């Protein structure tokens, strides 16, 4: 019930606001917002108390495991056990206990000591946890400035900049090196629900709750973008220098606006560039996706067939293929490679499909509110190749060029899997790093940008740049 209410609230955030003809709803929303703030404060306090409690429990558990292993295995003082606490334990809270030799070899040495079932289960969990030990991940950058939840994050190929779209009606371009907002776009009249960079030009495509999609110029001041913040510089700066450094360029006028006859009648939830970059695709709550011509700004073809609101659209990076996801629990593949376009329906999820993206090897990865991620072969729409089961709703995921799926969750976690469904890692989430509310979107950098491989954003208004070192990179 709680998840359903949260989802409904987030969907309303994508729209323009409260209709004038229902004035009392504005008052109700204000009161609910105040209640939500109170619950948020209580929730954060509970998290801190839970962290402290978990710390005490884990500490006692580790000490107990050490005593048990020492007594049952008769370990001599020359080969003591070493207890290592892993910051990101498994869901069950399994602790990692290792020694100068493996526990398995100690249990079997001499043949006189027979381990109990409990110790065997513990050893099995220890062995299975070794796979995650070689993955190193940490927050390298934080980008702060949005005044409301951030819906999507995007990385620019070949340039150290980042794009974000927010429910505060703005989109921002950030310098990754400085962590500063270099350009703020304020041309939309509603929540900015999606953002995508043009592949080789300084252009950005955004979709909004005002029912339109915009293309705007993302030219940044590179001299300003290289200036970071340091305490020594701040002491030496004059008031004018500080004011100039903190000034954010604002852009209010788009180059192209996609609206009018034949356009959308409701919120534009997502938009993307087709591979040739002279057409775009938009998806809306009016249950329709539209293919647009960039030069004429005219709609070329409506893509209808979904029974409920669209949640996401995505285009193939090199081919004229598009996928549209919907709250009707399906997603559709649209093929524009031939003069007569074709469509295929993919069924397999039991709740809203929240995200669909292509991989480099012609697969589609879909995420859903049913807490699963599925990998599909484009030529086989009957059943998924892989199903990844998680413990929380999935938001806008991303797949790296190397085939690593980054999955953002409602429960504030970010998990990494490969295309075969093998879990690789879970990014750390503590009181000092990680998101405090749902993670709405992630994006891989096609090449590492200043030690940042992955970017994430959430409804805690925070945007992070992560360094993720996978086992093959070690």
């Amino acid at each position: 019930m709680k998840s359903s209410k949260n989802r409904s609230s987030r969907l309303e955030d994508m729209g323009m606001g409260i209709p004038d003809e229902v004035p009392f709803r504005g008052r109700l929303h204000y009161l609910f917002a105040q209640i939500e703030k109170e619950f948020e404060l209580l929730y954060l306090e509970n998290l801190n108390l839970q962290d402290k409690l978990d710390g005490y429990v884990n500490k006692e558990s580790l000490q107990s495991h050490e005593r048990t292993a020492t007594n049952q295995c008769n370990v001599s003082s020359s080969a003591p056990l070493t207890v290592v606490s892993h910051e990101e334990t498994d869901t069950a809270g399994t602790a990692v206990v290792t020694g100068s030799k493996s526990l398995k070899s100690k249990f079997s040495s001499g043949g006189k000591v027979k381990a109990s079932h409990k110790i065997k289960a513990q050893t099995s969990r220890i062995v299975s946890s070794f796979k995650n030990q070689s993955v190193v991940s940490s927050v390298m950058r934080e980008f702060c400035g949005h005044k409301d939840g951030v819906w999507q994050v995007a990385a620019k190929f070949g340039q150290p900049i980042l794009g974000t779209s927010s429910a505060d009606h703005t989109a921002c371009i950030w310098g990754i090196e400085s962590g500063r907002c270099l350009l703020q776009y304020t041309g939309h009249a509603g929540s900015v629900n999606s953002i995508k960079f043009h592949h080789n030009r300084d252009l950005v495509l955004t979709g909004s709750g005002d029912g339109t999609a915009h293309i705007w110029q993302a030219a940044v001041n590179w001299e300003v973008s290289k200036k970071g913040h340091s305490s020594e510089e701040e002491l030496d700066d004059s008031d004018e220098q500080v004011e100039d450094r903190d000034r954010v360029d604002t852009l209010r006028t788009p180059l192209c606006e996609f609206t009018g006859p034949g356009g959308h009648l409701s919120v534009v939830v997502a938009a993307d560039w087709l591979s040739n970059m002279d057409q775009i695709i938009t998806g809306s709550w009016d249950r329709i996706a539209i293919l647009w011509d960039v030069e004429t700004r005219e709609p070329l073809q409506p893509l209808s067939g979904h029974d409920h609101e669209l949640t996401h659209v995505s285009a193939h990076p090199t081919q004229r293929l598009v996928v549209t996801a919907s709250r009707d629990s399906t997603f559709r593949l649209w093929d524009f490679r031939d003069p007569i376009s074709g469509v295929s329906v993919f069924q397999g999820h039991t709740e809203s499909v929240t995200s669909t993206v292509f991989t480099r090897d012609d697969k589609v990865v879909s995420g859903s509110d049913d807490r699963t991620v599925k990998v599909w072969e484009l030529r086989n729409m009957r059943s998924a190749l892989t199903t990844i089961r998680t413990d929380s709703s999935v938001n806008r995921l991303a797949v790296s060029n190397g085939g690593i799926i980054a999955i953002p969750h409602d429960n504030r976690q970010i998990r990494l899997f490969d295309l075969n469904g093998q879990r690789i890692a879970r990014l750390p989430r503590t009181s000092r790093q990680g998101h405090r509310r749902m993670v709405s979107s992630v994006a891989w950098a096609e090449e590492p940008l200043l030690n940042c491989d992955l970017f994430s954003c959430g409804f805690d208004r925070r945007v992070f740049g992560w360094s993720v070192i996978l086992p093959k990179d070690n």
Side-chain angles (χ1 to χ4, degrees), residues 411-422:
N411 66 358
R412 312 178 306 282
Q413 302 288 354
I414 302 173
R415 292 181 171 90
L416 305 182
F417 285 80
D418 64 20
L419 292 173
N420 296 319
Q422 179 66 45

Side-chain angles (χ1 to χ4, degrees), residues 135-146:
V135 178
V136 181
S137 58
S138 60
V139 173
M140 303 299 293
R141 296 284 191 280
E142 182 173 356
F143 309 87
C144 298
H146 280 297

Side-chain angles (χ1 to χ4, degrees), residues 213-323:
H214 290 180
I215 293 177
W216 42 279
Q217 187 78 39
V220 299
N221 187 336
W222 288 106
E223 292 300 322
V224 174
S225 69
K226 295 178 181 179
K227 297 179 181 178
H229 291 267
S230 70
S231 56
E232 294 181 359
E233 290 177 354
E234 289 177 359
L235 291 174
D236 297 336
D237 284 345
S238 65
D239 292 340
E240 292 182 359
Q241 289 174 323
V242 171
E243 183 178 352
D244 180 70
R245 185 188 62 198
D246 293 337
R247 180 178 58 85
V248 177
D249 291 334
T250 301
L251 179 65
R252 297 180 177 85
T253 306
L255 294 176
C256 302
E257 182 174 355
F258 300 89
T259 185
H264 289 295
L265 303 177
S266 186
V267 170
V268 175
V269 71
D272 199 3
W273 304 88
L274 265 67
S275 58
N276 53 12
M277 297 293 167
D278 59 3
Q279 294 173 352
I280 65 167
I281 185 75
T282 57
S284 170
W285 284 2
D286 61 12
R287 308 181 184 182
I288 294 176
I290 298 178
L291 184 68
W292 301 80
D293 184 271
V294 171
E295 184 176 356
T296 64
R297 310 177 194 180
E298 295 293 330
L300 297 176
Q301 183 178 348
L303 310 179
S304 58
H306 283 291
D307 295 329
H308 295 288
E309 297 94 331
L310 269 63
T311 57
H312 195 229
V313 297
S314 181
H316 193 283
T318 59
Q319 302 183 55
R320 292 177 55 78
L321 299 172
V322 168
V323 283

Side-chain angles (χ1 to χ4, degrees), residues 122-386:
Q122 177 189 353
T123 306
S124 176
R125 291 194 297 267
I126 292 169
V127 173
S128 66
S129 68
F130 287 162
K131 296 177 182 178
N132 292 341
Q133 296 291 320
S134 57
V135 178
V136 181
S137 58
S138 60
V139 173
M140 303 299 293
R141 296 284 191 280
E142 182 173 356
F143 309 87
C144 298
H146 280 297
K147 298 179 180 179
D148 207 338
V150 185
W151 280 116
Q152 189 164 18
V153 61
K156 172 68 172 174
F157 176 73
Q159 294 184 20
I161 58 176
L162 191 69
T164 55
S165 61
S166 171
D168 65 8
H169 297 196
T170 70
C172 290
I173 305 298
W174 306 82
I176 295 177
E177 182 175 2
S178 64
R180 295 184 51 209
C181 178
L182 307 177
L183 178 64
Q184 184 182 63
Y185 180 69
T186 60
H188 284 293
S191 168
V192 186
N193 301 324
S194 70
I195 184 168
K196 287 285 185 176
F197 284 102
H198 191 283
H199 189 72
N200 48 32
R201 296 178 61 187
D202 293 332
L203 299 176
V204 174
L205 170 65
T206 49
S208 172
D210 61 14
T212 69
H214 290 180
I215 293 177
W216 42 279
Q217 187 78 39
V220 299
N221 187 336
W222 288 106
E223 292 300 322
V224 174
S225 69
K226 295 178 181 179
K227 297 179 181 178
H229 291 267
S230 70
S231 56
E232 294 181 359
E233 290 177 354
E234 289 177 359
L235 291 174
D236 297 336
D237 284 345
S238 65
D239 292 340
E240 292 182 359
Q241 289 174 323
V242 171
E243 183 178 352
D244 180 70
R245 185 188 62 198
D246 293 337
R247 180 178 58 85
V248 177
D249 291 334
T250 301
L251 179 65
R252 297 180 177 85
T253 306
L255 294 176
C256 302
E257 182 174 355
F258 300 89
T259 185
H264 289 295
L265 303 177
S266 186
V267 170
V268 175
V269 71
D272 199 3
W273 304 88
L274 265 67
S275 58
N276 53 12
M277 297 293 167
D278 59 3
Q279 294 173 352
I280 65 167
I281 185 75
T282 57
S284 170
W285 284 2
D286 61 12
R287 308 181 184 182
I288 294 176
I290 298 178
L291 184 68
W292 301 80
D293 184 271
V294 171
E295 184 176 356
T296 64
R297 310 177 194 180
E298 295 293 330
L300 297 176
Q301 183 178 348
L303 310 179
S304 58
H306 283 291
D307 295 329
H308 295 288
E309 297 94 331
L310 269 63
T311 57
H312 195 229
V313 297
S314 181
H316 193 283
T318 59
Q319 302 183 55
R320 292 177 55 78
L321 299 172
V322 168
V323 283
T324 57
S326 170
R327 295 182 68 188
D328 63 10
S329 76
T330 72
F331 70 92
R332 294 177 176 240
L333 171 67
W334 306 84
D335 190 343
F336 300 107
R337 291 174 295 187
D338 297 326
I340 301 178
S341 59
V343 59
S344 301
V345 181
F346 288 72
Q347 297 176 325
H349 291 288
T350 58
E351 294 186 35
S352 297
V353 181
T354 56
S355 177
T356 47
V357 297
F358 289 97
T359 69
R360 290 287 178 179
D361 55 352
D362 289 339
K363 293 182 176 65
V364 175
V365 180
S366 61
S368 171
D369 279 344
D370 65 9
R371 303 182 179 185
T372 66
V373 173
K374 294 178 181 288
V375 181
W376 308 76
E377 177 67 48
L378 288 181
R379 293 177 292 274
N380 178 18
M381 64 181 182
R382 293 184 178 180
S383 61
L385 298 175
T386 304

